[in-house]
Amino acid sequence: MGSRASTLLRDEELEEIKKETGFSHSQITRLYSRFTSLDKGENGTLSREDFQRIPELAINPLGDRIINAFFPEGEDQVNFRGFMRTLAHFRPIEDNEKSKDVNGPEPLNRRSNKLHFAFRLYDLDKDDKISRDELLQVLEKVDVEQKMSIRFLH
Amino acid sequence: MWRGESPGPSWGPLLALVLVLTLGGLPRVGGFEEEPGGAHGASQGFQVVTFKWHHVQDPYIIALWILVASLAKIVFHLSHKVTSVVPESALLIVLGLVLGGIVWAADHIASFTLTPTVFFFYLLPPIVLDAGYFMPNRLFFGNLGTILLYAVVGTVWNAATTGLSLYGVFLSGLMGELQIGLLDFLLFGSLIAAVDPVAVLAVFEEVHVNEVLFIIVFGESLLNDAVTVVLYNVFESFVTLGGDKVTGVDCVKGIVSFFVVSLGGTLVGVVFAFLLSLVTRFTKHVRIIEPGFVFVISYLSYLTSEMLSLSAILAITFCGICCQKYVKANISEQSATTVRYTMKMLASGAETIIFMFLGISAVDPLIWTWNTAFVLLTLVFISVYRAIGVVLQTWILNRYRMVQLEPIDQVVMSYGGLRGAVAYALVVLLDENKVKEKNLFVSTTIIVVFFTVIFQGLTIKPLVQWLKVKRSEQREPKLNEKLHGRAFDHILSAIEDISGQIGHNYLRDKWSNFDRKFLSKVLMRRSAQKSRDRILNVFHELNLKDAISYVAEGERRGSLAFIRSPSTDNMVNVDFSTPRPSTVEASVSYLLRENVSAVCLDMQSLEQRRRSIRDTEDMVTHHTLQQYLYKPRQEYKHLYSRHELTPNENEKQDKEIFHRTMRKRLESFKSAKLGINQNKKAAKLYKRERAQKRRNSSIPNGKLPVESPVHNFTIKEKDLELSDPEEAPDYEAETRGGIEFLASVAKDTASDSPAGDTGSDTPLIGHSSPRGGSPAVSQQPPLPARLPRPHAPSPAPPENAAPVPAARSSREPGAGPTQGAGPERRALPAAHARSAAARRVHSRRSFQRPRARRRPALLKLASLQPPGPAELPPHALEQEETPL
């Protein structure tokens, strides 16, 4: 399956994802194969049901909220780009990234983006009910860079 | 040279030491002198009193030594300056040297040495058990890979390089003539290579480096035992066999035996942990010996694996690590405290004795063989190769670690590789017939131990400060942090599930599910389990309840307002803070309270009961929060500390705030020149009765109106902003953060109720208009004159003065500082004069409302009260509370 998946991913698309999310080539192909294996409808997008089929998520108290976080406002399908964009929040911040140019687009795994992601999880109806400043202030002590990062496999 | 070390670091308490010395040294010497008298007397028929020194000699001397060591600890800690500079372990070694010198001068025999038997059977197990039982599990398993690499590869590397380099230098002829072969050098290398848990703990305890660094060095020192044991045994048998007869098969056997020894030791530990957890599940009726099981079964795990020649240290470590969760859930609160303190006491005592006897053991001219090149080179090699090994391994590890180990961390890790009593005990165990240069090895080991413990122990603190190593924060994580930490855990494991990779979080999640489904069912009491199942089913509901009870509890602790208004009885009979039955039943204080016998002769339990009435709720709320909020899979743990049981920060803080509040009130009350009616007895009586009633007046929690808590939270926050920032900034920040989050959770659940949203979003507007808060407010002004309490700082009228709007009071939080300020001031002109502190008091009081709601129920019961306490002016109660 892995080989089939990787062939379906076009090179230019892969490059764009790489640029946008900072994942490496091998990570993207691996995650793409995961994506296609989740995609039971085989239409290149994931629906909420696809996510809900993951057994572990069913018993995760935050499961529904996390699934919601994958879907942009008002949509109930997410394509691979969107999928990767969400996962990119959880990439650890590499040393060489810290010194990267400030002018480029803000990387998704920045502290502020990680925080924003966490914030959106708390804020279910998306009307900024928990004031953002306060959350940031409260989380100042939490080592968000570490705690909101996963070392993805290659 | 080795003697020269003793006066060095002990300059400070030397005089004091001498005092202790004579105290410790004299009875021994004196004992021998008087002994003939005793023997002589025995021959003259029946003696009224006989002196039988020989009869008690051994235990007596042991007890005296322990006493001396403990007294020495007291003396060391008389001066903070000394203990903050010189590590205790170093002081103890020096003390041992001095004591040993005195004993030797008196007797010319070195009768007291640290024998391997005593060390391995009696002194080491408590220390290691303590380390395992209080191991921060999450931190430990999170870094397990790193720890294992350092423990296994690092130790082998150290042993091999040190042994081989020494052998190389020996071949060059620098050490002169020695009867040592390659295998002897490797044997020596293997016993000197291992970082020692006792020494590492003793020194790192006082340095407070960050927890990751600490757990790596500490974990390494514990887990490298298997490697040390195997290497030691392998090379010892090789030495016995003789270098020529060692075959390849033996080497393979050695490697196999490593896996057997380490995994076997771990398995023994896990099996005994399982047994221990199972046993503690059924100790409900024998509470008093509960703590005993913990020690006895753990010790058995140590002995069992020693019997099977497996790694005993690993066994008892893992026994402690695995059982801690279930044992802590099963045994009673008191037993848990007993276990904690006993364990700390034993470990601390054992450590003290170990270091002192290390010093004493060194005073024996017979064991000293000097070889400058050998000793110095050993010192150089172990330091250098440790550093090289750390750098190499870290380089590999950093490619896989989330949290990178910085160069500074590596310096501390290299420098923190202390050697200690394990190495000494192992070297003493060597057979002189097989290892010809045993005495050289012993002397060198002693020098190495002294060097690392004293010199490196002395310098590591300045080094850490100089390098600006990230320190650990010695604080309990705030409730808020815990919540977010938990949320992050869930998020990460969900993301790993989605991205389909088996990572750290995935494994942790799997394990916690397995634990919940099977292990906990078998190993935990049913009462402890109950809470775990509920969280999964109804965690929304529970969250709401907990948030409410937390707030109620916070208020109760923050202010005594509702105590002071005993007969003003605006309350609905909803008691949020009354714990759910399942939790209460588990606590001993509950039992004590319930089994009130007519005559109780046990003063301790009487006292206990008196106190527990008040404490139970504290405890239960804390317990509830810990247990019920989004189920913690791993709890944040304090950094391991052998000597200190860190007190609960929150409780301490609350108490302090409480003290200050009460003192302020008392002062301003005095200044108001009112007679103080100190009817303490009545106050006490009243308090007890009140607590009793509070318990009786509970109804199921489910019936509460959903929107009211939300209001209360926001009000509380606003009120706190008014308060004097200097007074209790921490408390304020904490409450605000915690409540805010809880409020938002509560809101989520309640979002379908129409009132929920507006209330919390716009607290100021929300209360005034739609809720009809104004009628309630308008009722307040006329009432406050009712009670004889004109003193300034208790001016919040709604509390004591609103019996009518009882049911309403939950709806009127707008009457807080924003709206309520107006009417209040009008009613109580004296209130104008109050200070910032008084205002704070007020603001605290003003978020008393949810509590106030259940007062009507009390009212009925209050008729049973003796008139005295009910009429009691509130200040009497204040005074009663102040010393608490």
Side-chain angles (χ1 to χ4, degrees), chain B residues 18-87:
Chain B
V18 172
L19 276 177
V20 180
L21 294 186
T22 42
L23 205 146
L26 274 180
R28 216 196 76 79
V29 180
F32 282 123
E33 282 163 0
E34 288 183 46
E35 172 205 329
H40 180 64
S43 63
Q44 295 173 349
F46 179 75
Q47 295 287 310
V48 178
V49 179
T50 51
F51 187 83
K52 297 191 273 187
W53 166 248
H54 269 299
H55 190 55
V56 295
Q57 185 182 2
D58 289 342
Y60 205 92
I61 290 177
I62 293 171
L64 272 182
W65 278 120
I66 295 174
L67 179 68
V68 171
S70 314
L71 286 176
K73 266 194 135 165
I74 298 180
V75 174
F76 295 153
H77 286 277
L78 283 182
S79 161
H80 262 291
K81 246 186 215 158
V82 176
T83 41
S84 65
V85 176
V86 187

Side-chain angles (χ1 to χ4, degrees), chain A:
Chain A
M1 173 171 275
S3 58
R4 186 184 68 96
S6 55
T7 49
L8 286 177
L9 197 63
R10 281 179 293 115
D11 276 346
E12 53 267 40
E13 201 180 350
L14 199 148
E15 276 305 314
E16 278 173 35
I17 292 172
K18 204 163 148 185
K19 207 190 260 173
E20 187 182 16
T21 63
F23 279 116
S24 77
H25 193 289
S26 56
Q27 282 167 336
I28 294 173
T29 32
R30 205 194 63 75
L31 287 170
Y32 189 68
S33 85
R34 175 66 182 174
F35 181 82
T36 46
S37 76
L38 286 177
D39 180 19
K40 296 283 189 249
E42 300 198 342
N43 50 3
T45 56
L46 295 181
S47 63
R48 282 193 163 75
E49 287 72 40
D50 286 328
F51 280 105
Q52 279 152 5
R53 247 177 247 124
I54 302 172
E56 286 85 2
L57 279 185
I59 52 166
N60 194 319
L62 296 177
D64 281 339
R65 302 192 189 194
I66 290 159
I67 293 172
N68 274 334
F70 275 88
F71 295 93
E73 193 109 24
E75 291 178 35
D76 49 3
Q77 295 287 314
V78 58
N79 60 10
F80 186 57
R81 278 290 276 282
F83 182 73
M84 291 303 284
R85 216 174 289 133
T86 312
L87 289 185
H89 287 104
F90 293 92
R91 230 165 39 77
I93 302 171
E94 309 282 341
D95 276 342
N96 51 11
E97 278 180 81
K98 281 177 184 161
S99 52
K100 238 182 179 179
D101 58 317
V102 207
N103 307 323
E106 196 181 36
L108 287 165
N109 58 349
R110 276 267 300 274
R111 181 188 167 88
S112 54
N113 276 324
K114 282 175 189 287
L115 276 178
H116 195 77
F117 187 89
F119 172 74
R120 288 204 315 250
L121 288 182
Y122 294 131
D123 180 26
L124 261 190
D125 39 5
K126 304 200 164 73
D127 64 344
D128 278 356
K129 197 87 63 59
I130 41 173
S131 97
R132 193 156 177 273
D133 283 341
E134 242 162 0
L135 185 74
L136 288 172
Q137 185 195 336
V138 154
L139 290 181
E140 207 64 65
K141 281 192 185 124
V142 180
D143 213 344
V144 185
E145 284 94 342
Q146 277 176 25
K147 290 202 171 144
M148 287 283 284
S149 298
I150 296 176
R151 187 159 283 276
F152 284 96
L153 301 178
H154 294 289

Side-chain angles (χ1 to χ4, degrees), chain B residues 85-307:
Chain B
V85 176
V86 187
E88 209 179 82
S89 46
L91 286 174
L92 282 167
I93 287 185
V94 173
L95 169 71
L97 282 174
V98 177
L99 284 181
I102 289 174
V103 170
W104 191 79
D107 274 6
H108 283 278
I109 47 152
S111 48
F112 307 102
T113 50
L114 190 63
T115 60
T117 326
V118 171
F119 176 72
F120 282 120
F121 281 158
Y122 305 112
L123 295 177
L124 191 57
I127 295 180
V128 182
L129 174 64
D130 172 69
Y133 190 75
F134 294 102
M135 178 71 75
N137 274 353
R138 185 196 168 117
L139 207 56
F140 179 73
F141 286 109
N143 293 295
L144 190 61
T146 312
I147 293 170
L148 279 178
L149 185 74
Y150 283 119
V152 178
V153 180
T155 310
V156 171
W157 158 269
N158 281 352
T161 49
T162 310
L164 290 175
S165 307
L166 282 173
Y167 182 63
V169 176
F170 169 68
L171 286 185
S172 75
L174 208 65
M175 294 178 194
E177 282 303 305
L178 291 172
Q179 289 178 297
I180 316 184
L182 172 63
L183 287 175
D184 300 73
F185 275 113
L186 285 175
L187 176 60
F188 178 70
S190 69
L191 66 86
I192 205 81
V195 175
D196 181 71
V198 186
V200 163
L201 271 182
V203 168
F204 273 69
E205 182 98 311
E206 301 171 25
V207 177
H208 304 302
V209 293
N210 65 70
E211 46 194 14
V212 175
L213 193 53
F214 176 80
I215 203 75
I216 289 175
V217 180
F218 175 42
E220 179 201 341
S221 71
L222 278 175
L223 297 195
N224 66 16
D225 174 66
V227 184
T228 315
V229 167
V230 171
L231 283 179
Y232 181 81
N233 288 339
V234 165
F235 285 120
E236 207 196 10
S237 61
F238 284 2
V239 169
T240 318
L241 276 174
D244 314 327
K245 291 167 193 140
V246 176
T247 58
V249 181
D250 289 321
C251 297
V252 175
K253 272 187 193 163
I255 293 168
V256 172
S257 99
F258 163 71
F259 288 103
V260 174
V261 164
S262 54
L263 296 179
T266 311
L267 191 71
V268 168
V270 172
V271 168
F272 273 89
F274 186 85
L275 271 179
L276 173 54
S277 312
L278 206 60
V279 168
T280 52
R281 195 186 159 175
F282 301 105
T283 50
K284 198 174 173 187
H285 303 293
V286 284
R287 290 282 189 209
I288 210 76
I289 57 166
E290 237 171 20
F293 286 119
V294 178
F295 295 99
V296 171
I297 296 181
S298 317
Y299 191 50
L300 277 180
S301 77
Y302 185 86
L303 294 179
T304 308
S305 70
E306 189 76 48
M307 178 176 75

Side-chain angles (χ1 to χ4, degrees), chain B residues 261-457:
Chain B
V261 164
S262 54
L263 296 179
T266 311
L267 191 71
V268 168
V270 172
V271 168
F272 273 89
F274 186 85
L275 271 179
L276 173 54
S277 312
L278 206 60
V279 168
T280 52
R281 195 186 159 175
F282 301 105
T283 50
K284 198 174 173 187
H285 303 293
V286 284
R287 290 282 189 209
I288 210 76
I289 57 166
E290 237 171 20
F293 286 119
V294 178
F295 295 99
V296 171
I297 296 181
S298 317
Y299 191 50
L300 277 180
S301 77
Y302 185 86
L303 294 179
T304 308
S305 70
E306 189 76 48
M307 178 176 75
L308 302 172
S309 70
L310 304 172
S311 167
I313 292 188
L314 275 185
I316 199 169
T317 306
F318 276 94
C319 184
I321 288 177
C322 297
C323 77
Q324 52 169 271
K325 180 179 166 193
Y326 308 106
V327 168
K328 280 171 190 167
N330 281 340
I331 62 179
S332 70
E333 202 79 13
Q334 273 98 336
S335 302
T337 312
T338 313
V339 169
R340 265 205 322 270
Y341 275 94
T342 315
M343 218 172 253
K344 290 286 167 199
M345 189 196 77
L346 288 178
S348 189
E351 183 199 275
T352 309
I353 293 167
I354 286 173
F355 282 115
M356 197 177 76
F357 272 78
L358 266 183
I360 293 175
S361 309
V363 188
D364 183 359
L366 297 177
I367 61 166
W368 283 96
T369 314
W370 191 257
N371 185 324
T372 316
F374 188 78
V375 170
L376 288 183
L377 282 173
T378 307
L379 277 179
V380 171
F381 285 146
I382 61 161
S383 316
V384 170
Y385 286 124
R386 163 107 187 145
I388 294 174
V390 165
V391 170
L392 285 178
Q393 291 169 78
T394 314
W395 182 72
I396 299 169
L397 280 171
N398 270 349
R399 312 174 69 176
Y400 299 99
R401 277 183 66 88
M402 260 288 305
V403 188
Q404 302 282 300
L405 293 167
E406 306 294 328
I408 287 175
D409 297 337
Q410 297 173 33
V411 172
V412 176
M413 279 164 65
S414 320
Y415 204 73
L418 307 176
R419 271 61 163 184
V422 173
Y424 174 77
L426 285 177
V427 81
V428 171
L429 267 181
L430 288 177
D431 187 346
E432 215 160 340
N433 298 322
K434 297 175 196 160
V435 186
K436 297 288 185 301
E437 297 287 348
K438 180 191 170 186
N439 279 347
L440 177 60
F441 286 172
V442 173
S443 332
T444 312
T445 307
I446 290 179
I447 294 290
V448 167
V449 171
F450 285 11
F451 177 81
T452 53
V453 172
I454 296 179
F455 179 74
Q456 295 190 351

Side-chain angles (χ1 to χ4, degrees), chain A residues 34 60 122 129 138 147, chain B residues 480 484 490 497-498 636 747:
Chain A
R34 175 66 182 174
N60 194 319
Y122 294 131
K129 197 87 63 59
V138 154
K147 290 202 171 144
Chain B
N480 200 299
H484 288 302
H490 287 303
D497 294 336
I498 288 171
Y636 283 80
K747 233 171 40 189

Side-chain angles (χ1 to χ4, degrees), chain A residues 61-62 65, chain B residues 483 486-487 490 535 539-540 543 625-633 741 745 748:
Chain A
L62 296 177
R65 302 192 189 194
Chain B
L483 287 171
R486 249 170 248 166
H490 287 303
I535 185 69
F539 65 91
H540 272 304
N543 249 332
L625 280 172
Q626 291 280 6
Q627 296 279 320
Y628 285 74
L629 288 171
Y630 287 114
K631 185 61 206 156
R633 297 155 169 189
F741 179 76
V745 174
D748 280 342

